[in-house]
Amino acid sequence: SAQIADLQQKLLDADNGDRAKQRWDSIATILEAKCALKYLLGELVSSRVQESKLQSGLEQSQASCSDVQKMLMEERNHIAELEAEFQNQILVQEQQHQEKVNHSSWK
């Protein structure tokens, strides 16, 4: 049934496309041409407004992505610092343990 609905929608879209083409092909007077031109200019303005909104949204998303990437890099650096500190603490603990073992064996 989903395929049937999809095919029905494609047929409707094709019919609408054919009707629009027939309308444009049947323009016969200056008045009709002016109306068509007015319609097209309105569509152009609408498209430009939509493009502007999309561009603005894209720029905001890019800025947000850049902020997230910066935060991620800062977190990675912080984790690397913590890991280095942890490794240093392990080394100190191992050295202290080794000193205790060596000190105990001398007694």
Side-chain angles (χ1 to χ4, degrees):
S1 66
Q3 289 177 338
I4 292 172
D6 186 43
L7 290 173
Q8 287 174 336
Q9 185 60 46
K10 286 180 181 178
L11 284 173
L12 287 174
D13 291 343
D15 283 346
N16 289 339
D18 288 343
R19 286 185 195 147
K21 186 178 183 320
Q22 288 173 353
R23 280 190 211 132
W24 292 114
D25 290 343
S26 67
I27 292 176
T29 66
I30 295 293
L31 181 60
E32 289 175 340
K34 283 182 178 180
C35 289
L37 187 56
K38 185 177 180 179
Y39 170 78
L40 288 174
L41 288 174
E43 289 296 307
L44 176 63
V45 168
S46 177
S47 295
R48 291 277 171 97
V49 167
Q50 183 72 13
E51 177 192 18
S52 178
K53 288 179 182 178
L54 290 172
Q55 184 67 32
S56 177
L58 175 62
E59 289 169 1
Q60 288 177 352
S61 294
Q62 287 173 332
S64 177
C65 180
S66 179
D67 290 344
V68 169
Q69 286 176 333
K70 182 180 176 183
M71 285 177 19
L72 178 62
M73 188 60 71
E74 290 171 355
E75 289 299 316
R76 284 181 177 165
N77 290 339
H78 182 67
I79 288 171
E81 290 172 3
L82 291 175
E83 285 177 349
E85 184 180 319
F86 179 69
Q87 290 297 327
N88 191 34
Q89 288 177 357
I90 290 174
L91 184 61
V92 168
Q93 292 286 334
E94 287 175 351
Q95 288 173 348
Q96 289 175 351
H97 176 71
Q98 192 62 38
E99 288 174 6
K100 286 181 183 179
V101 169
N102 288 341
H103 186 67
S104 296
S105 66
W106 286 103
K107 287 186 173 184

